[in-house]
């Protein structure tokens, strides 16, 4: 184990530490939620992490995304994230894939080769397809619902997908699954919050290079997206630490 994992091993023990080190994880989305999730995993001792995102760092990311600084604006997110994570653990096996998740591209990722699939993407159509594909794989899926329009961190929680209430992303996903008559094949845990505020300011100009652009932008705060990301990482860590 790398020296920096001593405090982690002190808490969870050698066997759990080895399970963390051996786990193979793929994370889709390294933005407001995914960037904090990725760093938490690597700092906790995860050594095999694949990052998937098709976006570049933009100025609007500076308010909430770990990888976004004035020095990284314009860089591809997965490459900037990989560089940061390797500065924490240079021996980690971190793969950066600069590609959009879609019906066409997802088979290339071979989800069966991973122990965990983490969903931190926004585009509803791609999110729905990823969830179904992950549920059909051997991997354990953990998913993040919407982190926008929230201030109260105490309302962030984890639940099985079909138990979520008052979250618009979960509601739209359930509607899509039912309309398409293609439900996820197994239960999966999600990070979510029942808080839903309204934007109080004007819509900002679009400086996002993501080809899957949104017609409407929701306000976000860094402590919320970070806690969503940390909680998503926590689901993996808890699952690996608890004896099975």
């Amino acid at each position: 184990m790398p020296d920096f994992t001593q405090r982690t091993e002190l808490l969870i023990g050698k066997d759990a530490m080895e399970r963390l080190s051996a786990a193979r994880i793929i994370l889709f989305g390294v933005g407001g939620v995914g960037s904090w999730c990725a760093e938490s995993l690597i700092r906790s001792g995860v050594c095999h992490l694949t990052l998937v995102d098709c976006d570049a760092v933009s100025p609007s990311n500076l308010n909430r995304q770990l990888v976004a600084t004035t020095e990284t604006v314009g860089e591809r997110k997965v490459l900037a994230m990989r560089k940061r994570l390797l500065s924490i653990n240079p021996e980690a096996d971190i793969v950066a894939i600069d590609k959009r998740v879609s019906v066409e591209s997802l088979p290339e990722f071979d989800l069966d080769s991973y122990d965990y699939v983490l969903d931190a993407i926004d585009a509803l159509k791609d999110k729905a397809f990823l969830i179904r594909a992950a549920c059909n794989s051997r991997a354990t899926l953990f998913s993040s619902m919407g982190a926008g329009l929230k201030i109260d961190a105490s309302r962030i929680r984890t639940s099985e997908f079909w138990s979520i209430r008052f979250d618009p992303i979960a509601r739209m996903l359930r509607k899509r699954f039912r309309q398409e008559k293609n439900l996820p094949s197994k239960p999966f845990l999600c990070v979510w919050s029942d808080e839903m505020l309204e934007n109080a300011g004007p819509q900002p100009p679009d400086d996002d290079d993501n080809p899957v652009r949104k017609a409407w932008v929701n306000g976000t705060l860094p402590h919320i997206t970070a806690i969503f990301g940390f909680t998503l990482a926590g689901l993996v860590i808890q699952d690996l630490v608890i004896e099975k």
Side-chain angles (χ1 to χ4, degrees):
M1 297 294 114
D3 288 342
F4 73 84
T5 62
Q6 291 176 351
R7 294 293 182 95
T8 308
E9 185 175 338
L10 179 64
L11 175 63
I12 67 176
K14 182 179 179 181
D15 290 346
M17 199 73 242
E18 290 178 349
R19 291 196 293 273
L20 277 174
S21 177
R24 289 177 51 80
I25 302 168
I26 185 167
L27 168 63
F28 291 89
V30 292
V33 173
S35 59
W36 301 95
C37 176
E39 177 142 335
S40 180
L41 290 171
I42 295 300
R43 288 188 184 274
S44 298
V46 167
C47 292
H48 304 282
L49 179 61
T50 297
L51 308 171
V52 183
D53 200 301
C54 66
D55 202 0
V57 179
S58 65
S60 66
N61 300 152
L62 289 166
N63 85 313
R64 69 196 183 283
Q65 298 187 14
L66 179 65
V67 75
T69 68
T70 55
E71 295 179 351
T72 62
V73 167
E75 293 183 21
R76 306 309 295 177
K77 285 184 182 177
V78 288
L79 298 180
M81 193 78 234
R82 181 177 185 271
K83 181 179 179 181
R84 178 179 173 88
L85 298 179
L86 288 175
S87 72
I88 299 167
N89 182 5
E91 298 179 3
D93 169 30
I94 301 172
V95 178
I97 302 177
D98 189 355
K99 183 171 288 190
R100 175 188 170 188
V101 180
S102 66
V103 173
E104 295 76 24
S105 69
L106 197 53
E108 302 174 25
F109 299 112
D110 188 17
L111 299 186
D112 282 321
S113 67
Y114 295 94
D115 300 303
Y116 295 92
V117 174
L118 304 183
D119 159 38
I121 62 177
D122 297 322
L124 191 68
K125 179 181 177 181
D126 299 337
K127 193 177 189 75
F129 187 77
L130 172 61
I131 287 172
R132 283 192 293 241
C135 286
N136 289 332
S137 76
R138 61 169 288 276
T140 298
L141 168 68
F142 296 125
S143 178
S144 173
M145 298 294 107
L149 299 176
K150 305 179 196 311
I151 292 178
D152 187 352
S154 70
R155 294 169 72 169
I156 299 172
R157 64 193 78 180
T158 61
S159 302
E160 201 282 320
F161 172 71
W162 294 99
S163 300
I164 295 172
R165 296 292 179 267
F166 310 113
D167 180 279
I169 300 296
R171 183 174 63 250
M172 288 186 287
L173 283 170
R174 287 194 292 262
K175 181 179 179 181
R176 177 179 288 269
F177 291 147
R178 288 171 175 139
Q179 286 179 339
E180 295 175 353
K181 298 181 180 179
N182 189 2
L183 304 183
S185 61
K186 61 186 178 185
F188 60 97
L189 288 175
C190 301
V191 184
W192 65 287
S193 167
D194 63 358
E195 184 179 22
M196 185 53 60
L197 304 177
E198 293 184 0
N199 288 315
Q203 279 290 296
D206 186 1
D207 65 0
D208 195 343
D209 292 329
N210 192 330
V212 189
R213 294 191 175 185
K214 301 176 187 176
W216 185 263
V217 176
N218 286 324
T220 52
L221 285 168
H223 71 286
I224 295 295
T225 59
I227 293 172
F228 263 71
F230 290 147
T231 306
L232 191 63
L235 289 173
V236 176
I237 294 165
Q238 286 176 264
D239 195 62
L240 286 166
V241 167
I242 297 172
E243 290 284 356
K244 299 182 180 179

